[in-house]
Amino acid sequence: FAVDGSTRAVAAIETALPSFEKREQSEAADASSAALAAFGPKTVPFLKERIPGVLPVQAAWLTRVLAAIGGPEGTEALREQLQNRWADVRLAAVEGLASVGGPGDAPSLIRMLKDEEWPVRRAAADALGRHKSAKAVGPLIDLFGDPNVYVRASAQEALTAITGERFPDDKAWRAWLAANPQPEEGGP
Protein backbone atom coordinates (compact mmCIF):
# COMPACT_ATOMS: atom_id res chain seq x y z
CA PHE A 1 0.00 0.00 0.00
CA ALA A 2 2.66 2.52 1.01
CA VAL A 3 4.41 3.67 -2.13
CA ASP A 4 6.70 6.27 -0.58
CA GLY A 5 6.75 5.28 3.08
CA SER A 6 3.78 7.52 3.98
CA THR A 7 2.42 5.01 6.47
CA ARG A 8 0.81 7.81 8.51
CA ALA A 9 -1.35 8.77 5.53
CA VAL A 10 -2.35 5.16 4.97
CA ALA A 11 -3.19 4.73 8.66
CA ALA A 12 -5.22 7.95 8.58
CA ILE A 13 -7.27 6.68 5.64
CA GLU A 14 -8.05 3.43 7.44
CA THR A 15 -8.89 5.30 10.65
CA ALA A 16 -11.22 7.68 8.76
CA LEU A 17 -13.25 5.00 6.96
CA PRO A 18 -15.71 4.30 9.81
CA SER A 19 -16.67 7.99 9.93
CA PHE A 20 -17.58 7.78 6.24
CA GLU A 21 -20.21 5.05 6.58
CA LYS A 22 -23.18 7.42 6.24
CA ARG A 23 -24.14 9.77 3.44
CA GLU A 24 -25.09 12.52 5.85
CA GLN A 25 -22.45 15.03 6.67
CA SER A 26 -21.26 14.74 10.25
CA GLU A 27 -18.65 16.38 12.43
CA ALA A 28 -16.67 13.14 12.45
CA ALA A 29 -16.73 12.85 8.65
CA ASP A 30 -15.79 16.52 8.26
CA ALA A 31 -12.92 16.16 10.72
CA SER A 32 -11.70 12.98 9.01
CA SER A 33 -11.89 14.65 5.60
CA ALA A 34 -9.91 17.64 6.81
CA ALA A 35 -7.30 15.41 8.44
CA LEU A 36 -6.82 13.39 5.26
CA ALA A 37 -6.70 16.51 3.07
CA ALA A 38 -4.03 17.96 5.36
CA PHE A 39 -1.64 15.23 4.20
CA GLY A 40 -1.82 16.91 0.79
CA PRO A 41 -0.97 15.49 -2.63
CA LYS A 42 1.12 12.62 -1.26
CA THR A 43 -2.14 11.02 -0.09
CA VAL A 44 -3.71 10.94 -3.57
CA PRO A 45 -2.20 7.59 -4.70
CA PHE A 46 -3.39 5.92 -1.49
CA LEU A 47 -6.89 7.36 -1.84
CA LYS A 48 -7.10 6.20 -5.45
CA GLU A 49 -5.99 2.73 -4.46
CA ARG A 50 -8.45 2.50 -1.58
CA ILE A 51 -11.57 3.84 -3.34
CA PRO A 52 -12.43 0.62 -5.24
CA GLY A 53 -12.25 -1.54 -2.10
CA VAL A 54 -14.65 0.28 0.20
CA LEU A 55 -18.39 0.82 0.43
CA PRO A 56 -19.81 3.21 -2.18
CA VAL A 57 -20.62 5.84 0.46
CA GLN A 58 -17.04 5.65 1.79
CA ALA A 59 -15.67 5.91 -1.73
CA ALA A 60 -17.73 9.07 -2.26
CA TRP A 61 -16.27 10.61 0.92
CA LEU A 62 -12.75 9.68 -0.18
CA THR A 63 -13.49 11.32 -3.53
CA ARG A 64 -14.51 14.50 -1.67
CA VAL A 65 -11.12 14.38 0.04
CA LEU A 66 -9.49 14.40 -3.41
CA ALA A 67 -11.36 17.65 -4.10
CA ALA A 68 -10.21 19.09 -0.78
CA ILE A 69 -6.62 18.24 -1.72
CA GLY A 70 -7.07 19.86 -5.12
CA GLY A 71 -4.03 20.78 -7.15
CA PRO A 72 -3.05 18.86 -10.26
CA GLU A 73 -2.92 15.51 -8.43
CA GLY A 74 -6.32 15.80 -6.79
CA THR A 75 -7.97 17.20 -9.89
CA GLU A 76 -6.62 14.43 -12.13
CA ALA A 77 -7.81 11.82 -9.63
CA LEU A 78 -11.28 13.43 -9.68
CA ARG A 79 -11.35 13.13 -13.47
CA GLU A 80 -10.53 9.44 -13.13
CA GLN A 81 -13.43 8.95 -10.70
CA LEU A 82 -15.91 10.23 -13.31
CA GLN A 83 -15.73 6.69 -14.71
CA ASN A 84 -16.47 5.00 -11.37
CA ARG A 85 -19.26 2.43 -11.36
CA TRP A 86 -20.94 4.04 -8.35
CA ALA A 87 -23.15 7.07 -8.92
CA ASP A 88 -22.29 8.56 -5.50
CA VAL A 89 -18.61 8.59 -6.46
CA ARG A 90 -19.28 10.08 -9.89
CA LEU A 91 -21.43 12.74 -8.21
CA ALA A 92 -18.68 13.56 -5.71
CA ALA A 93 -16.16 13.78 -8.56
CA VAL A 94 -18.36 16.15 -10.57
CA GLU A 95 -19.00 18.31 -7.50
CA GLY A 96 -15.27 18.30 -6.80
CA LEU A 97 -14.47 19.44 -10.32
CA ALA A 98 -17.04 22.21 -9.90
CA SER A 99 -14.99 23.58 -7.02
CA VAL A 100 -11.37 22.80 -7.96
CA GLY A 101 -11.53 22.14 -11.69
CA GLY A 102 -11.47 24.71 -14.42
CA PRO A 103 -12.41 25.41 -18.02
CA GLY A 104 -10.24 22.51 -19.18
CA ASP A 105 -12.67 20.13 -17.48
CA ALA A 106 -15.55 21.14 -19.77
CA PRO A 107 -15.24 18.11 -22.10
CA SER A 108 -15.36 15.69 -19.16
CA LEU A 109 -18.27 17.51 -17.54
CA ILE A 110 -20.15 17.67 -20.85
CA ARG A 111 -19.86 13.87 -21.08
CA MET A 112 -21.33 13.64 -17.58
CA LEU A 113 -24.49 15.39 -18.82
CA LYS A 114 -25.38 11.96 -20.27
CA ASP A 115 -24.83 10.00 -17.06
CA GLU A 116 -27.54 7.48 -16.25
CA GLU A 117 -28.21 9.06 -12.85
CA TRP A 118 -30.02 12.40 -12.71
CA PRO A 119 -28.08 13.82 -9.70
CA VAL A 120 -24.86 13.42 -11.67
CA ARG A 121 -26.39 15.16 -14.72
CA ARG A 122 -27.68 17.98 -12.52
CA ALA A 123 -24.30 18.45 -10.84
CA ALA A 124 -22.54 18.45 -14.22
CA ALA A 125 -24.87 21.18 -15.48
CA ASP A 126 -24.23 23.19 -12.32
CA ALA A 127 -20.45 22.76 -12.71
CA LEU A 128 -20.51 23.88 -16.34
CA GLY A 129 -22.50 26.97 -15.36
CA ARG A 130 -20.08 27.72 -12.56
CA HIS A 131 -17.14 27.49 -14.98
CA LYS A 132 -19.10 29.50 -17.57
CA SER A 133 -18.13 27.04 -20.27
CA ALA A 134 -19.34 28.33 -23.63
CA LYS A 135 -18.58 24.89 -25.11
CA ALA A 136 -21.44 23.51 -23.05
CA VAL A 137 -24.25 25.69 -24.42
CA GLY A 138 -25.48 23.18 -27.03
CA PRO A 139 -25.30 20.15 -24.71
CA LEU A 140 -27.04 22.12 -21.95
CA ILE A 141 -29.86 23.05 -24.33
CA ASP A 142 -30.22 19.33 -25.04
CA LEU A 143 -30.99 18.79 -21.34
CA PHE A 144 -34.34 20.56 -21.79
CA GLY A 145 -35.49 17.12 -22.95
CA ASP A 146 -34.27 15.42 -19.75
CA PRO A 147 -37.00 13.54 -17.88
CA ASN A 148 -35.93 15.07 -14.54
CA VAL A 149 -37.19 18.54 -13.62
CA TYR A 150 -34.12 19.30 -11.48
CA VAL A 151 -31.78 18.55 -14.36
CA ARG A 152 -33.80 20.82 -16.65
CA ALA A 153 -33.76 23.61 -14.04
CA SER A 154 -29.99 23.27 -13.59
CA ALA A 155 -29.52 23.42 -17.35
CA GLN A 156 -31.55 26.65 -17.48
CA GLU A 157 -29.52 28.20 -14.66
CA ALA A 158 -26.22 27.12 -16.23
CA LEU A 159 -27.21 28.58 -19.59
CA THR A 160 -28.11 31.88 -17.93
CA ALA A 161 -24.80 31.91 -16.03
CA ILE A 162 -22.85 31.25 -19.24
CA THR A 163 -24.69 33.56 -21.62
CA GLY A 164 -26.37 36.18 -19.45
CA GLU A 165 -29.61 35.35 -21.27
CA ARG A 166 -32.79 33.63 -20.11
CA PHE A 167 -35.28 31.96 -22.42
CA PRO A 168 -38.37 29.87 -21.60
CA ASP A 169 -37.65 26.75 -23.65
CA ASP A 170 -35.20 24.88 -25.80
CA LYS A 171 -36.70 26.28 -29.02
CA ALA A 172 -35.86 29.85 -27.96
CA TRP A 173 -32.42 28.74 -26.77
CA ARG A 174 -31.72 27.00 -30.10
CA ALA A 175 -32.72 30.17 -31.96
CA TRP A 176 -30.36 32.17 -29.76
CA LEU A 177 -27.57 29.64 -30.32
CA ALA A 178 -28.05 29.79 -34.11
CA ALA A 179 -27.57 33.56 -33.94
CA ASN A 180 -24.67 33.31 -31.44
CA PRO A 181 -22.50 30.30 -32.29
CA GLN A 182 -20.41 28.97 -29.41
CA PRO A 183 -17.13 27.02 -29.62
CA GLU A 184 -17.54 23.30 -30.10
CA GLU A 185 -16.41 20.82 -27.45
CA GLY A 186 -13.06 20.31 -29.16
CA GLY A 187 -12.63 24.02 -29.99
CA PRO A 188 -10.84 26.78 -28.12
Side-chain angles (χ1 to χ4, degrees):
F1 214 133
V3 175
D4 65 357
S6 298
T7 53
R8 288 181 54 221
V10 173
I13 292 169
E14 296 307 316
T15 302
L17 286 176
S19 69
F20 297 149
E21 290 180 353
K22 296 184 177 173
R23 280 192 175 145
E24 297 82 28
Q25 194 166 352
S26 69
E27 286 184 29
D30 288 344
S32 294
S33 294
L36 290 175
F39 281 101
K42 68 182 176 187
T43 313
V44 170
F46 307 119
L47 291 168
K48 287 172 43 176
E49 185 174 326
R50 196 66 178 105
I51 285 172
V54 297
L55 297 170
V57 67
Q58 292 170 317
W61 274 103
L62 294 177
T63 302
R64 289 182 192 98
V65 172
L66 292 170
I69 292 169
E73 298 90 348
T75 304
E76 183 55 37
L78 287 171
R79 288 185 201 107
E80 292 171 17
Q81 294 308 316
L82 294 174
Q83 305 306 314
N84 194 289
R85 69 181 183 266
W86 295 319
D88 285 348
V89 174
R90 295 190 310 274
L91 176 60
V94 168
E95 290 172 340
L97 287 174
S99 62
V100 300
D105 291 309
S108 297
L109 292 168
I110 288 168
R111 282 190 293 280
M112 299 312 290
L113 294 175
K114 295 182 181 189
D115 193 89
E116 61 200 39
E117 299 293 334
W118 73 263
V120 177
R121 296 191 306 274
R122 179 195 45 78
D126 291 342
L128 289 161
R130 184 173 183 172
H131 292 306
K132 298 190 185 313
S133 177
K135 297 175 187 178
V137 171
L140 286 166
I141 292 170
D142 293 341
L143 285 183
F144 276 78
D146 195 278
N148 186 279
V149 65
Y150 299 112
V151 173
R152 294 191 306 268
S154 287
Q156 175 72 273
E157 293 306 314
L159 286 164
T160 299
I162 294 166
T163 66
E165 302 289 342
R166 188 164 191 85
F167 298 107
D169 56 32
D170 62 323
K171 183 177 178 183
W173 274 109
R174 289 188 196 290
W176 179 88
L177 182 59
N180 300 279
Q182 303 296 302
E184 295 298 320
E185 185 176 328

